[in-house]
């Protein structure tokens, strides 16, 4: 895993009409979208450093809900997601990012996600639960794949992902790798792919040449290649979830 001493999710902010609503689940305010019928398939989206309020991730959740899933997107940063427009110094001083990062340790976030999942089961009673982790959320997605709390997991351009975490995954898991990714470079990607190839549980991975870290959620849709890459990644995620997460 590459050291994380500055933000890695460069991209654009999207616009669109949102379909979901905010609810309280466990300790986390959560954007929910899709059919809430008991006995359905739920998907927990664990966001990147820009959190649950940015339109990009909410629009992605709405799009996924249109595929028949009940989707939950929690505010794991409690209203303090990274804001690159406000917090990046003009001189390139990333010290504010490190101070922000230290306020959000991964361990307590996982405990809060556990409580959210328990409340979600009690309130919505889904038949199955899967998870998708973008960037920062990739760590949590792989970690959950090492438990019985989800039926399937997806990691899109993950951060803080180690070989040990990948080795520990016991649920069906999918990795979507970017070409230009400071968090999972070529050597580490190949190590992950080798680990996945040896697993007895179903795995899937796809490498996207010329795509940058964050392309699935923050890609520039005015760029044809980025738009096509994001659309392909979305299709891969949906196919994986419909095969292993229902």
């Amino acid at each position: 895993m590459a050291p994380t001493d500055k933000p890695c999710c460069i991209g654009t902010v999207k616009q669109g009409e949102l379909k979901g609503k905010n609810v309280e689940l466990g300790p986390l305010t959560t954007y929910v979208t899709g059919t809430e019928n008991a006995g359905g398939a739920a998907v927990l989206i664990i966001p990147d450093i820009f959190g649950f309020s940015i339109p990009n991730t909410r629009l992605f959740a709405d799009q996924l809900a249109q595929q028949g899933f009940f989707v939950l997107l929690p505010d794991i940063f409690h209203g303090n997601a990274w804001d690159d427009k406000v917090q990046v110094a003009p001189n390139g001083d990333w010290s504010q990012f490190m101070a922000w990062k230290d306020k959000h340790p991964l361990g307590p976030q996982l405990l809060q996600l556990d409580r959210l999942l328990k409340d979600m089961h009690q309130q919505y009673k889904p038949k199955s639960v899967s998870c998708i982790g973008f960037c920062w959320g990739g760590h949590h997605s792989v970690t959950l794949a090492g438990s019985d709390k989800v039926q399937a997991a997806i990691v899109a351009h993950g951060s803080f992902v180690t070989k040990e975490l990948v080795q520990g995954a016991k649920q069906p898991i999918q990795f979507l790798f970017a070409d230009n990714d400071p968090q999972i470079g070529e050597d580490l990607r190949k190590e992950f792919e080798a680990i996945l190839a040896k697993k007895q549980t179903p795995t899937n991975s796809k490498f996207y040449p010329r795509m940058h870290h964050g392309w699935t959620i923050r890609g520039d849709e005015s760029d044809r290649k980025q738009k096509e890459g994001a659309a392909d990644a979305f299709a891969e995620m949906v196919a994986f979830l419909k095969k292993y997460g229902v």
Side-chain angles (χ1 to χ4, degrees):
M1 182 186 70
T4 303
D5 58 359
K6 62 182 180 180
C8 50
C9 301
I10 298 170
T12 59
V13 177
K14 300 177 182 179
Q15 301 297 328
E17 181 182 357
L18 300 176
K19 307 294 186 183
K21 62 183 179 182
N22 287 352
V23 302
E24 300 301 319
L25 281 176
L28 300 172
T29 302
T30 302
Y31 180 79
V32 298
T33 180
T35 303
E36 300 178 9
N37 293 343
V43 179
L44 171 67
I45 295 179
I46 312 170
D48 61 19
I49 62 176
F50 298 99
F52 94 135
S53 294
I54 187 172
N56 300 41
T57 317
R58 292 191 173 207
L59 290 168
F60 181 96
D62 289 341
Q63 187 181 6
L64 190 60
Q66 292 174 359
Q67 297 293 319
F69 299 100
F70 177 56
V71 186
L72 306 96
L73 170 62
D75 180 13
I76 61 173
F77 300 113
H78 294 278
N80 183 234
W82 175 255
D83 184 345
D84 60 347
K85 295 181 178 62
V86 174
Q87 294 171 294
V88 176
N91 63 359
D93 177 8
W94 298 107
S95 59
Q96 289 188 67
F97 176 75
M98 291 302 295
W100 173 87
K101 175 175 170 284
D102 290 343
K103 293 178 181 177
H104 301 286
L106 299 172
Q109 286 186 347
L110 280 166
L111 292 175
Q112 291 176 355
L113 289 173
D114 284 349
R115 290 171 58 190
L116 177 146
L117 286 169
K118 290 177 182 177
D119 275 16
M120 182 267 297
H121 278 290
Q122 292 177 354
Q123 183 167 338
Y124 297 107
K125 298 176 173 58
K127 176 180 68 175
S128 63
V129 181
S130 301
C131 61
I132 303 174
F134 295 103
C135 184
W136 181 290
H139 169 275
H140 298 330
S141 188
V142 181
T143 303
L144 288 171
S147 73
D148 295 321
K149 297 167 186 172
V150 298
Q151 281 66 58
I154 296 173
V155 180
H157 40 83
S159 296
F160 313 114
V161 179
T162 65
K163 290 182 288 184
E164 291 75 19
L165 283 175
V166 180
Q167 289 167 341
K170 61 181 184 179
Q171 306 297 346
I173 190 166
Q174 178 186 67
F175 276 81
L176 301 176
F177 297 111
D179 187 10
N180 181 18
D181 192 337
Q183 295 303 306
I184 302 178
E186 182 178 6
D187 291 343
L188 188 57
R189 169 176 62 83
K190 290 180 177 178
E191 290 187 73
F192 287 176
E193 290 170 336
I195 294 170
L196 294 172
K198 295 177 181 178
K199 284 189 174 293
Q200 300 300 311
T201 52
T203 65
N204 173 265
S205 66
K206 188 167 183 177
F207 172 63
Y208 287 82
R210 298 180 297 280
M211 292 297 106
H212 60 78
H213 182 99
W215 95 95
T216 64
I217 208 76
R218 286 174 57 79
D220 183 356
E221 292 189 335
S222 67
D223 182 306
R224 180 179 59 83
K225 290 184 178 179
Q226 288 190 43
K227 185 176 182 178
E228 290 175 351
D232 184 85
F234 179 79
E236 290 284 342
M237 287 187 258
V238 169
F240 188 81
L241 290 171
K242 288 188 173 181
K243 187 171 184 178
Y244 299 112
V246 297

